[in-house]
Amino acid sequence: MVCLALFTSQEMQPEYFEQYCDRKQRGLKQEARKLLLAFIASFQDLAEKTDWTKAYLHSWDRENEPKIRYELYEAVIFPALLHGYRQQELWGFKGLVQTAQNLYQAPQLWSQIDQKTDWVLLAEAQALAPDDESLRQQMISKNMRWFDYCQHEWPAGILYGHDGASIAECEDILQAVEKTRVLDCDRNHKTFLDQFESKVQTYQRRLLNQN
């Protein structure tokens, strides 16, 4: 049984989180939740939340835990990330990108950053730190996944969202290809980008001829 006295702690208690993880792994859901709430309640200020959030996100295993527990994200992690974001601190942008799936499923939190997607946040982070290698690689990977999806039904057409791309949307895709070429300074994706660009241009001409 978890003692209710835990909720009156006068300083942040990291052991509560360790105990929460232990109970969660053992399937003791009610006990785990009480420990998590006690851990959340033990934070004294934003500085503590920021320090803990930075350490947590650095070691977070997303493969085994794709999303962060909502209560923890809402009360501790998001406030720290939001402050960093508003202060134009790079780590805040990166953390929001990292936890995008939590954001998308919490409209009341997402609205506080104007419902910016992880794509937009990545672009803003790159503007802050144009020489950051991890951001460059993330943007390349994200664009390459999008391009691969766009050509999923080729030669029938090029996708944009769930539908076939319009002439204007083809232009958006081609602009993204050019931006990706600039990011791909090592030319590791040149062959794919050349082939994909040719498909989009062919499809765009097809649409123009139909009109």
Side-chain angles (χ1 to χ4, degrees):
M1 177 178 295
V2 178
C3 178
L4 293 179
L6 292 177
F7 291 88
T8 63
S9 170
Q10 295 302 306
E11 58 182 10
M12 196 267 281
Q13 300 291 323
E15 63 269 23
Y16 293 168
F17 187 73
E18 296 171 8
Q19 293 167 13
Y20 153 74
C21 293
D22 173 71
R23 304 305 193 278
K24 177 185 173 185
Q25 188 174 19
R26 290 159 55 188
L28 303 174
K29 294 182 180 180
Q30 290 186 347
E31 193 171 337
R33 186 171 186 275
K34 287 181 180 180
L35 281 161
L36 180 63
L37 294 178
F39 174 64
I40 291 170
S42 74
F43 282 89
Q44 297 301 297
D45 53 34
L46 184 61
E48 283 189 350
K49 292 180 180 181
T50 297
D51 289 343
W52 187 85
T53 295
K54 287 180 178 180
Y56 176 77
L57 292 182
H58 182 71
S59 60
W60 177 30
D61 183 3
R62 278 187 288 179
E63 289 189 8
N64 293 321
E65 187 180 10
K67 285 198 309 175
I68 298 166
R69 180 77 175 246
Y70 175 77
E71 298 95 327
L72 181 63
Y73 189 75
E74 178 187 40
V76 178
I77 294 175
F78 180 75
L81 294 178
L82 180 63
H83 180 73
Y85 163 80
R86 287 176 172 171
Q87 295 298 312
Q88 294 285 288
E89 295 174 0
L90 186 60
W91 85 273
F93 285 84
K94 287 185 173 182
L96 289 170
V97 171
Q98 192 178 355
T99 62
Q101 293 309 309
N102 275 90
L103 263 183
Y104 296 156
Q105 296 186 16
Q108 75 279 15
L109 303 182
W110 194 19
S111 65
Q112 295 181 54
I113 61 165
D114 301 321
Q115 294 188 321
K116 292 178 179 178
T117 64
D118 56 344
W119 224 311
V120 173
L121 291 167
L122 261 179
E124 291 182 352
Q126 275 199 300
L128 282 178
D131 296 327
D132 189 294
E133 179 65 16
S134 67
L135 290 174
R136 184 177 76 88
Q137 292 297 338
Q138 282 185 72
M139 184 62 83
I140 290 174
S141 296
K142 183 168 282 293
N143 284 347
M144 294 298 289
R145 288 194 297 271
W146 179 39
F147 298 154
D148 195 46
Y149 169 80
C150 289
Q151 68 172 8
H152 182 67
E153 294 190 2
W154 184 260
I158 295 294
L159 293 174
Y160 194 98
H162 297 298
D163 302 312
S166 66
I167 294 172
E169 287 167 343
C170 284
E171 199 59 40
D172 287 343
I173 295 170
L174 291 172
Q175 289 178 11
V177 169
E178 285 307 307
K179 290 178 181 178
T180 306
R181 288 188 190 279
V182 173
L183 292 172
D184 185 31
C185 51
D186 299 325
R187 298 165 66 89
N188 293 326
H189 304 284
K190 181 181 184 305
T191 299
F192 176 93
L193 291 172
D194 288 345
Q195 293 173 351
F196 176 66
E197 182 179 50
S198 177
K199 292 173 184 176
V200 177
Q201 291 170 338
T202 298
Y203 179 67
Q204 191 179 43
R205 285 194 297 270
R206 189 189 306 171
L207 294 176
L208 287 167
N209 290 335
Q210 288 175 357
N211 291 339

